[in-house]
Amino acid sequence: MDVTADGSDSFVIGVDYGTLSGRAVVVRVRDGKELGSGVFEYPHAVVTDALPADLADATDGTAARLPGEWALQVPNDYRDVLRRAVPAAVADAGIDPAAVVGIATDFTACTMVPVKADGTPLNELPGFANRPHAYVKLWRHHAAQPQADRINALAAELGEDWLPRYGGLISSEWEFAKGLQLLEEDPETYAEMDHWVEAADWIVWQLCGNYVRNACTAGYKGIYQDGRYPSEEFLAALNPDFKDFVSAKLAHTIGRLGDAAGYLTAEAAAWTGLPEGIAVAVGNVDAHVTAPAAKAVEPGQLVAIMGTSTCHVMNGAELREVPGMCGVVDGGIVDGLWGYEAGQSGVGDIFGWFTSNGVPPEYHQAAEAAGLGIHEYLTELASRQAIGEHGLIALDWHSGNRSVLVDHELSGVVVGQTLATRPEDTYRALLEATAFGTRTIVDAFRDSGVPVREFIVAGGLLKNRLLMQIYADITGLPLSTIGSAQGPALGSAIHAAVAAGEYADIRAAAAAMGSEPGSIYIPIPENVAAYEKLFQEYRTLHDYFGRGINSVMHRLKAIQRAARPSFATPAGAASPAGVTGAQHQKAVPADSAAEEVSA
């Protein structure tokens, strides 16, 4: 059914939690029409420099400094999205809240919250507000790379059968690496923690009062394959105190995507203004939930959710081992198919970093005079160039490499710069570099027997038409963009409709509620040929710096860590073993060129 008892329309709410903000969308059940939206920016954004001064309770008044590669968030910011964005979306839609039958959420992943048995985040406990490990570890927290390296080395040595499901390497972004870092650097906080929870599941817990682990993050980020996690023997070999990590901290009831995790509590109803008792769907990941929103629920339809980072998701009919993939999970996107995931840790973040740090004031002034944003202005200048005219080739590793190398110790490179190189030259080279990174992923899928037939783009970057044509030309695939500006939130709304019993399954809901294509880009043959030459140069650099021929990037990271000030340990906290450095960077704000997404 798609109408209420009195014959009027029914509605669902989709809430998309990004890197810097949360957005809610009101969607009509019968046809997927988006009627209203609301956005709330996290007051504490991404914490990379020092713990928030308004929360830390250090006795000397100084908040703990953070080492390099850290990225934290404040969980109450997520609750405030429910308090602010959801009511704003309902008001914007002009609907009666009583007609809302379900709500669903999606989240960046792997974003981890250490909590007590009742779901209280550790940073909200007395005495823990000045402990960095008590806060949320955002997906782009990469400080657990040493732990990830040890997990990978031991798994390869022992021939663990789950390792090929993740392309041969697990990421520092994921649950086990971050959990091991927490144990080894702050064992007191680790001992205080009752559950190590994906934020995707924590926010559902806040809504319905039930803790249910979603099948998506459990499979892709939690090394849950064929009904089991890595063994206690394996975990003990990493660290004896890590032996019971799964049984004591991680394992919990796993919910199927599209099912109801529970029903809206009175407290959450008061936050949101929605009816108590409506269905709350099992949590999901922002990337994977977007596939149904794009009507991409069949094998071979690769969906790239492009924002600050990019996540590539696709269904396949058969199980294959793809080098460097983030994971393959049975039913990870829709039931009955294998869900594949790959990704790039930095895309829009790279463009934002360059405009903030690599563009002179006169360009910003010229953009303002032309009534354009800096990204639009640079894109206009770059679009006038012939392919290869700038003489540059770049590697898109400014936030490390998620696929296919799975190495966050790698860093960015631009080759070919001269005294004649202009900002628009470098900007275009960076756009192309991210497309070359996607081409590398597409080739890895195809070479492994997972065919890619079409390329669909969602997220904030689809607005850049030059970028979309570059991706079509470099991949050689027809490219379409999702018609919805809120793909993840729409995908969540689709899951809410299924959880509420409005549709039988995700496929049926996607067919009725999914978005039609926005724009279509066809590869231009002469551009494909021109980019093939540049791609071969990219691949040469990719293998030279990324596959161990020259490990200069790793050596530079080690030198950098050694040169940074030591970790500032709060009074009474255990000293973090082997952690040094203080990161002096701020989160790059999302703008017209880049919205938040991760995997």
Side-chain angles (χ1 to χ4, degrees), residues 148-462:
D149 291 342
R150 286 163 49 205
I151 292 170
N152 288 325
L154 182 63
E157 177 187 341
L158 298 179
E160 293 290 306
D161 58 6
W162 47 263
L163 192 61
R165 299 280 181 94
Y166 301 98
L169 295 166
I170 70 108
S171 171
S172 65
E173 297 179 358
W174 297 357
E175 294 177 10
F176 280 73
K178 287 174 174 172
L180 184 57
Q181 183 199 13
L182 169 54
L183 166 67
E184 295 179 338
E185 296 183 5
D186 192 348
E188 292 180 11
T189 297
Y190 182 87
E192 187 71 22
M193 174 180 71
D194 292 318
H195 297 296
W196 188 228
V197 182
E198 281 277 358
D201 301 324
W202 181 80
I203 201 65
V204 169
W205 192 354
Q206 297 295 294
L207 285 166
C208 70
N210 294 334
Y211 174 26
V212 178
R213 253 174 86 68
N214 74 84
C216 187
T217 54
Y220 290 104
K221 314 302 178 186
I223 319 182
Y224 184 78
Q225 292 284 350
D226 300 325
R228 63 185 186 276
Y229 295 96
S231 68
E232 284 195 349
E233 292 75 19
F234 177 81
L235 300 178
L238 290 168
N239 185 317
D241 293 331
F242 204 52
K243 177 181 178 180
D244 64 350
F245 172 68
V246 168
S247 59
K249 310 290 187 181
L250 187 67
H252 209 76
T253 303
I254 294 178
R256 189 178 64 172
L257 304 181
D259 282 356
Y263 301 91
L264 198 68
T265 65
E267 180 181 34
W271 292 344
T272 59
L274 301 178
E276 181 181 353
I278 65 171
V280 178
V282 168
N284 211 324
V285 181
D286 50 3
H288 304 71
V289 79
T290 304
K295 296 188 175 183
V297 293
E298 300 303 330
Q301 296 177 297
L302 181 65
V303 181
I305 302 87
M306 297 177 60
T308 56
S309 66
T310 293
C311 186
H312 307 78
V313 296
M314 181 173 65
N315 288 296
E318 298 177 341
L319 174 63
R320 293 284 187 268
E321 296 175 0
V322 182
M325 66 181 173
C326 297
V328 53
V329 175
D330 188 8
I333 302 173
V334 295
D335 279 346
L337 294 172
W338 290 93
Y340 290 86
E341 178 195 333
Q344 293 167 267
S345 294
V347 180
D349 261 359
I350 299 175
F351 310 150
W353 161 82
F354 179 71
T355 59
S356 296
N357 297 281
V359 179
E362 55 265 30
Y363 272 68
H364 290 274
Q365 293 162 6
E368 185 176 359
L372 299 173
I374 188 62
H375 290 280
E376 296 169 297
Y377 182 68
L378 288 171
T379 296
E380 184 177 293
L381 295 177
S383 67
R384 301 171 188 172
Q385 298 180 358
I387 295 171
E389 180 182 337
H390 50 52
L392 305 174
I393 198 77
L395 293 177
D396 53 316
W397 299 344
H398 297 67
S399 289
N401 181 283
R402 185 183 293 160
S403 299
V404 298
L405 300 172
V406 197
D407 187 349
H408 292 291
E409 295 283 278
L410 298 175
S411 49
V413 168
V414 180
V415 174
Q417 289 180 321
T418 71
L419 296 180
T421 300
R422 300 162 299 176
E424 59 266 34
D425 300 334
T426 305
Y427 189 75
R428 177 161 182 148
L430 293 173
L431 298 183
E432 293 166 344
T434 66
F436 290 141
T438 287
R439 162 75 183 274
T440 303
I441 291 167
V442 169
D443 287 354
F445 275 122
R446 283 176 166 169
D447 293 346
S448 302
V450 184
V452 181
R453 297 197 310 270
E454 62 177 300
F455 190 63
I456 303 166
V457 175
L461 295 182
L462 61 77

Side-chain angles (χ1 to χ4, degrees), residues 133-154:
H133 279 291
Y135 286 79
V136 174
K137 285 185 172 64
L138 184 62
W139 65 269
R140 68 185 191 195
H141 175 94
H142 293 148
Q145 187 65 50
Q147 285 78 15
D149 291 342
R150 286 163 49 205
I151 292 170
N152 288 325
L154 182 63

Side-chain angles (χ1 to χ4, degrees), residues 546-599:
R547 297 193 185 277
I549 300 173
N550 188 334
S551 297
V552 61
M553 294 178 182
H554 293 85
R555 295 194 296 272
L556 289 174
K557 285 279 189 179
I559 292 170
Q560 182 185 48
R561 280 193 290 268
R564 283 172 165 156
S566 61
F567 185 91
T569 305
S575 297
V579 177
T580 62
Q583 186 172 3
H584 298 285
Q585 67 178 33
K586 300 295 183 182
V588 177
D591 56 24
S592 61
E595 291 179 359
E596 312 86 355
V597 71
S598 76

